[in-house]
Amino acid sequence: MRAFAGYDFATGDKNPADGKRQEFFNFLPTNHPHYGYMDYEGWRNIRSPYSGASLYGQGGRRGRPEPVRAGPVRAADPRRRRFPPGLSDVNLRVLMENRRGFLSRLLMMAGLGSVAAGVSAMATRYLYPLKAVRLKRRIFLAPAADVPAGKGRPYRLPDGSTALVTDTGADLVALSDVCPHLGCKVRYEGAQGNFVCPCHGGLFEKDGTAIAGPPADEGKNLKRYAVTRVGENLFIDIEETVQP
Amino acid sequence: MTTAAPPPPDLEPVTPHGGRPLPPARTRFGRWLQRRVPVDLEALRYYSNEPVPNHLKHWWWCLGGTPAMLFTVQAATGILLSFYYVPDPSQAYESVRRVSEVVPFGWFLRSIHRWSSNLMIAAVILHMMRVFFTGAYRKPRELNWMIGIGLLGTTFFFGFTGYSLVYEQLSYWGATVAGNLTEAVPLIGTYLARLLRGGEMIGDNTLTRFFILHIGILPALITALLAGHILLFRLHGVTEFEFESARLRGPEEKKTFPFFPDHVMTELIIGIGLAFLLTCLAVIFPAGLAEKANPLLTPAHIKPEWYFFWTFRWLKLTGLTLAVLSIGFFGFLALVWPFIDQAIRRRRPASEISVKIGLAAVCALLVLTVWEAVATH
Amino acid sequence: MTLDQKRMIVASLSFLFLAALLIVAWVEGGKQRLQPKPKPVVGAESGKCLQCHEQKTPVIAEQWKDSRHAQLGVSCYECHRAGEGDRDAFLHEGKTIATVVSPADCGSCHQDLAREFEHSHHSKAAQFIGSLDNVLGEVVEGPLAAANGCWQCHGSTLAFAKEADGSIRRDKTGKPLLDPMTWPNTGIGRVNLDGSRGACSACHSRHAFKKSVARQPEVCGKCHMGPDHPQIEIYEESKHGIAFRTRIAEMNLDSPSWVLGEDYTAAPTCASCHMSATRNQPVTHDVGARISWTLRPVVSKRLENWEKRRESMKDVCHTCHAPDFVAAFYTTFDATVDMWNRKFALPAQKVMDALRARGRLTPTPFDEELEWSFYRLWHHEGRRARMGVSMQGPDYTQWHGFFEVAERFYFDFIPKAREAAHGDPEVARVIKASLDSPEHAWLKGMSPEERARIDAFYRERYGAEAAR
Ligand code: FES
C-alpha cells in the first residue's frame, strides 16, 4: 500500500525568442541512459500537483508482487492512460491538461461537499431540541393556618404532581405522593397516622420514611420537598423542567 | 484481491416490461441493480441529454430554471420551518418569534425563506417577460404559456398565504383586505370569500386554511404545474432562437451544446450563486417580526408586499368592483394571450404590436408599483 | 466558457457560500437566546378567578402574570382572601374575599416591611385630618376637594356606603359597597376596614408590583410636588435628578438587589437616599428614618434621635461623596434652616401669637387675609426655601424660596399685621422687636459704603450706563 502526493515545478523561459535559456534544465532526464528521445527532453516549464495511492497484493502467481490497482492514478488521469515512469514533457502536456480537469473536479467536489455538510449541520442543529432548562423556584403553598396540626393535606403543584403536607408538630413535612416503588399514588391514613400505598402495600411514616412493603425493602422513602415559612404563609421549593 | 473471477451470475439481457432488451451492465452490482430497476440508461441519457441551443449560454436565458431552484429552497426551508410553526391564532405569532429568537439557526432559515420567496416572484416575472418578448409562447407552445400563467398565480398566492401565517399586523390586515376584495367579485364573491376564510369573517378557521393552502394544496398544485411546464418544454425543446452574434460566427460553428454536463453546470453556478446571495441577504437583512396582529387596530400605514403594490394602487385608483373585475379581465387576457397574438399575426403578419402591448403593460405595472412605493397613503 | 472554467466557478462560488455559512454560524453564535421564563403559577384556588377575570379584566390578569408574584404562585385568592368575620368580606363565586388588600394582608408574607412601614411617618399620613390643612381642604375648599385631592395622597378612611336606614349598602350578589368618597383610594396613610393603616399600592402599583416603579422618582412625585412641598421639582432641578434623567438606562431599576454603589452608580433617586440599601445599611420602609430636620412646620425642629438619623443619611452620601463635601453641605444646610427659623419663622409666629392673644384675630382659621398670608409664608414659600436647600435645588431655595419669603414677609405679612393690630401697642411692640435684629437692619437703609460698593460692582460688570 502506498499513498503519495507531490508537486512538480520547473521554471520556463520568459521569452523563447531572446536567445537566453532561462528554463529549468534537467541535465539527465532519466537515471537510466539510452531510453531514446526522452533522454534528450527533460522537465521544464511545468507546474504539476499530483497524488495517488497504489496497492500491491498477491497476484495470480505466488511470490511475485504485482500492482493490482492504482486508485487515484486513475483520478489523476481520467482517461486511464498509464504513464511509464520517467515522464517526458511531451506526455506531460497531455497529463497537465487532465490534471487541470482533475483539479477543478476535485475543488468542485470539495466545495459542494463542504457546503452540503455545512447546510446539513445547520439543519440538524435546527431540528435537534435545545437542552431543557431546570428551573428551581420557591412558590407559595398555603397560609400556615391552613395546614392543621397532625393532619396531612394534599396540594396540587404546578407540574401536576401533588405534595402531601403534614404538620407533625415538630416540623412541616411536604412529601411527593408518588410511591418510590413503582409510581402509584400513596394515601394518608389518618387512623394509622401514616401513608399507605394501595398497589403493593408500601407503608410510610408521617415523615416519609418507608417502614414496610417493597419500598422499605428497597430503602426508598417518599420524596420530600423543602417547605419554608415566610410570615404567616408557607412556601415550597419545586423544580420544573422547561423546554425552550 | 479477486482470484479466478467466478462466472458472471447471469449475463442474460434484462428486458423491461414491453421494451427491448437492455445491454448488460458492466459490473456485477450494475447487473444486480439492472435486474431490479430495469431502466434503459441509453434512452434515459438520450432524453436527458438533448442538445441545448447555443443561445442558452446567455445568462438571462436561465431565468426559467431560477424559480424552480428557488422553489426547491422554499420547499426545504418550508419543511424545516413547519417543524416549529403552530397554526393557531393564539400561538402562531409566538411560534414564529420562537423560531426567530430561540431555535438555533431559525432566524436564518426564516430569512432565507422570506428572501427566497421575494426572489422567486421576481424571477418568475423576469422569466415571463423574457418569454413574452422573445415570442416563445407562440405556436405550438401556447399551452405552456397558460401553465406558466397558472404558475405565476400560484406563486402570488403562495406569497400571500405565506405572509399571512406570520400573524403580524400585515398578515391580519392583508388577509382582511384580501377577503373583502374577494367578496367584491360579482356573483360568486361572497361564497369564494367564505370558502377562503372558513367563515363570514376572519376567525379561527382562517389561519388553518391559509396554512393548509400554503403547505399542502399550493405545493401540490405548483409541483403538478411545474411538472407539466417542464414536460411540455422538454417535448417541444427550447425555442430556436438565433442571435446576431451567432449568425456572424458563421455556419460551421456548432449550434448546440450538450445539456449534460455543460448546461447543468451553468445551472449549478446559478444555484450556488443564488444560495450565496440568499445567505448574504439573510445575514444583512434578516427577516424581522413586526407587531402582533391586533384585530382591534389597523396600523396607520399598512402596505402589502411589494409584488402586490400594483393591485393596491389600482384599487385606490378605480374602486373596489371595477378593480376586481379589471384585474380579473387582465388576468384572462394574459392567459389567452398566445391566441390573441395569433389572431393579430394572421391578419398582419409583420406586426410588432405584441411587443408594444407588452411594453405598455410592463410600464403600467411599473408605474403603479413605484407610485404605491413612494406614496405615503 | 469551457467546462473546466465552469467547474472552477462552481468551486469558488461554493467556497464563497461556505464562507457566508460560516458568517451565519458566527452570527448564530453571538445571538442572545431568550431564556425561558418560568410560567406564572396559578394557585389552586385562583384558577377559577383567572378564568373569568382574564376576560373581564384582562389588564389586571396580564399585569399580574408579569409580576414576581405570578412566578411565586401568589395569585388572586392568596391576596384577596378574607376571613369569614372580616368586615369587608363577601362571598364571591364560592369564596370569601375582600376587594381592598391592606398592609395587613401584604404583611402576612412581607412582615418586616409591614412593620417598618407601620412605624413610618407615611402610615400616619391620614392623621392630618385634624390639622389646619384639613380644615382648609374639607371646609374652606369643600369636601370633594378633600376626597379627590388631599385624601388621594394622605389616604382616606375607608367606609361602607350606607342605605337610608344606616345599614351597609350591598349589590345584588351581597357584596358590600364602599363609600365612593373614600374609595378608590391609594393614599399612603389610608385607614383600612381591618384597622390597618396604609396602602402598599401607593408606591407598588398593582397588579404588576414592579420594584422599578417604586424606585422611580415619579412614584414619589405623585404627592411630593406642587407649591407647598415641591420635592420632585427640586429633585429634577438638582444634579441628582439631572443625572437620573440622563442615565436612566443605567439605573438597573429592575434588579432584584438594588444597593447603591453595587447594583447602580449612575444617580440616586428619592428611594436611593431615603429608603434603599447601601453597602452599610439595609433597605427600610420607614421612609423618614434618615431625615434629621422636620421642614414641615412653621419653625423647623430637629427630630428625635436626629444624630442617628443624620448618620444614616450621611452614610448614603458617603457612597458617592467625600466626607468633607458632605460635612460642608450639612453645615450650610443647617445654617440656612436656622436662618429661616430666626429671621422669618419665629418673628412671624410671634406676631401672629401676639395678635391672637390680643384678640385682634378671630379664632376661626383662614377667615382673615393675614392668616392666608402667614400660611403662604411658612407652608408654601418657607417650605420651598428649606426643602430647596435640603435637596440642592438652587432655584427653589432662592427665587421660588427665600425671594418670595422676603417679599411675603416684608411687603405682605408685616403690613397686614400692622393693619390687623389696629394700633394695638402691644402688637406694635412685638412687630418692632421682630424687625429689630441685625438681619432686618437693612430696612433702615444701607450705609454709604455699602451703596458705593454696589455701584462699583455694577460699573465694572455692566458698564457706566447700568450703574444708574
Ligand atoms: S407502587 Fe407503591 S408499593 Fe408498589
Side-chain angles (χ1 to χ4, degrees), chain B residues 101-102 105 107 262 266 279, chain C residues 3 6 17 24 28 33-34:
Chain B
E101 290 175 15
V102 179
F105 295 111
W107 62 273
D262 282 65
T266 308
T279 311
Chain C
L3 210 51
K6 283 188 182 175
F17 181 34
V24 170
E28 171 67 36
R33 199 154 284 145
L34 281 183

Side-chain angles (χ1 to χ4, degrees), chain A residues 100-101 104-105 107-108 111 114-115 119 122 130 133 137-140 143 146 158 230-233 235 242, chain C residues 4 7-8 10-11 14-15 17-18 21 24-25 33 36 38-39 41 71-74 78 81 108-109 111:
Chain A
R100 249 185 79 81
S104 68
R105 234 169 256 216
L107 281 175
M108 182 176 82
S114 44
V115 160
V119 169
M122 276 184 185
L130 287 167
V133 179
R137 60 171 152 164
R138 173 168 296 184
I139 62 163
F140 177 83
D146 279 13
V230 178
E232 298 158 25
N233 297 303
F235 283 76
V242 181
Chain C
D4 211 55
R7 278 200 289 260
M8 286 310 249
V10 172
S14 24
F15 283 115
F17 181 34
L18 193 70
L21 287 183
V24 170
R33 199 154 284 145
K39 288 208 179 72
V41 180
Q71 311 253 304
L72 288 165
V74 177
E78 282 71 41
R81 61 186 269 146
S108 83
C109 285
Q111 314 147 275

Side-chain angles (χ1 to χ4, degrees), chain A residues 178-186 196-204 212-215:
Chain A
V178 178
C179 177
H181 179 221
L182 290 173
C184 291
K185 295 234 168 190
V186 299
V196 179
C197 177
C199 288
H200 313 102
L203 208 62
F204 306 88

Side-chain angles (χ1 to χ4, degrees), chain A residues 42-58:
Chain A
W43 286 17
R44 57 184 177 234
N45 195 18
I46 58 162
R47 291 157 185 270
S48 163
Y50 58 88
S51 67
S54 48
L55 186 64
Y56 297 88
Q58 296 298 105

Side-chain angles (χ1 to χ4, degrees), chain C residues 318-338:
Chain C
H318 289 155
T319 315
C320 311
H321 302 289
D324 288 351
F325 184 103
V326 177
F329 160 73
Y330 270 113
T331 309
T332 50
F333 169 42
D334 289 346
T336 312
V337 177
D338 278 336

Side-chain angles (χ1 to χ4, degrees), chain A residues 117-138:
Chain A
V119 169
S120 352
M122 276 184 185
T124 315
R125 184 78 197 86
Y126 169 81
L127 288 177
Y128 194 76
L130 287 167
K131 228 168 117 192
V133 179
R134 292 204 208 296
L135 288 176
K136 282 190 182 151
R137 60 171 152 164
R138 173 168 296 184

